[in-house]
Amino acid sequence: MIRRPPRSTLSSSSAASDVYKRQYQRRVRGNQLSMEPPASNPNGAITAPGDLPLESWWVLGDLYQFTQRDDKSFTMEVVAYPCQGGHPPNHVHANEDEHFYLIDGSMMFMVNDAEPTECKPGTYLWQPRGTKHTFWPAGDAPSRFSITISPPGIENMFRAIGTDAGEVRMGEIPEVNVPPTEEQLETLAKLSPEYGVTLFPPGE
């Protein structure tokens, strides 16, 4: 069962999403799936509750919904589920800065081996490249947050790791997630160096 938000009266988002989807050109380079950025839209775009995102993927037990991408940044909304073995391990990005904004629920963030900090809705976090960090839900219910990553490109790794979640609209929270698999964890370990991501074992 899925909790559905009220449909937005904004119709421009769905139209913009359809345009962006047509502009994306997927192709395979070796074993790596890549995606061209959409053409620049001088009017921007709106993605509202109830709209379809560009793509939805189950990645390490969490729902990743791609919302916007251009040649400078990439934005997605994440529904994080409390599950064993899920969520990213402690890691460092060599190439990307990350901006987090917590929408619903509570999250624990750990930065540079400091004590984890519990964050509530409305919390904004900036993680510059080179910062060691990880995060996970603080309670027994899913949490929802937005991430803007600059520059774009790492979404290709998320896509390669993930399982297609189909058409999940923005603001919908599936009651049951898709837990991480051994294959996903192996793919994460294999692709991380290619994307400048250093993973750390549990406890490091």
Side-chain angles (χ1 to χ4, degrees):
M1 182 179 295
I2 293 177
R3 300 199 296 273
R4 298 182 181 275
R7 286 289 297 176
S8 169
T9 57
L10 293 171
S11 60
S12 57
S13 179
S14 294
S17 180
D18 290 342
V19 169
Y20 270 52
K21 285 179 180 178
R22 288 196 298 269
Q23 290 173 340
Y24 277 107
Q25 301 295 321
R26 299 179 181 222
R27 65 181 184 274
V28 175
R29 292 175 177 168
N31 294 323
Q32 180 177 331
L33 181 66
S34 65
M35 189 163 66
E36 289 293 326
S40 176
N41 183 348
N43 297 318
I46 297 172
T47 303
D51 289 337
L52 284 173
L54 297 176
E55 302 176 46
S56 294
W57 297 87
W58 290 108
V59 180
L60 301 178
D62 296 335
L63 179 64
Y64 286 22
Q65 295 184 288
F66 299 178
T67 53
Q68 305 294 339
R69 185 189 190 279
D70 58 24
D71 60 350
K72 294 182 175 61
S73 65
F74 159 71
T75 301
M76 65 179 178
E77 189 169 292
V78 176
V79 179
Y81 290 78
C83 64
Q84 185 69 29
H87 324 302
N90 224 344
H91 63 283
V92 171
H93 294 270
N95 304 318
E96 298 89 13
D97 299 326
E98 294 182 302
H99 301 258
F100 296 80
Y101 182 79
L102 184 55
I103 302 168
D104 292 318
S106 298
M107 293 289 295
M108 302 299 294
F109 282 83
M110 186 167 67
V111 180
N112 285 334
D113 299 324
E115 286 296 316
T117 299
E118 183 173 356
C119 299
K120 301 295 185 181
T123 301
Y124 167 81
L125 299 98
W126 172 50
Q127 299 295 309
R129 66 196 70 185
T131 304
K132 186 179 180 182
H133 64 286
T134 187
F135 48 85
W136 62 91
D140 297 329
S143 300
R144 188 161 59 99
F145 56 95
S146 174
I147 307 179
T148 297
I149 302 172
S150 179
I154 199 167
E155 67 275 10
N156 292 322
M157 185 177 77
F158 299 150
R159 190 183 297 108
I161 295 169
T163 301
D164 192 344
E167 294 189 351
V168 182
R169 295 186 178 275
M170 300 302 299
E172 295 180 352
I173 301 179
E175 291 190 1
V176 179
N177 69 329
V178 176
T181 64
E182 286 298 324
E183 182 180 2
Q184 284 188 345
L185 297 174
E186 291 172 2
T187 303
L188 172 66
K190 177 182 177 181
L191 292 182
S192 290
E194 298 180 20
Y195 286 89
V197 178
T198 302
L199 304 178
F200 294 88
E204 292 189 15

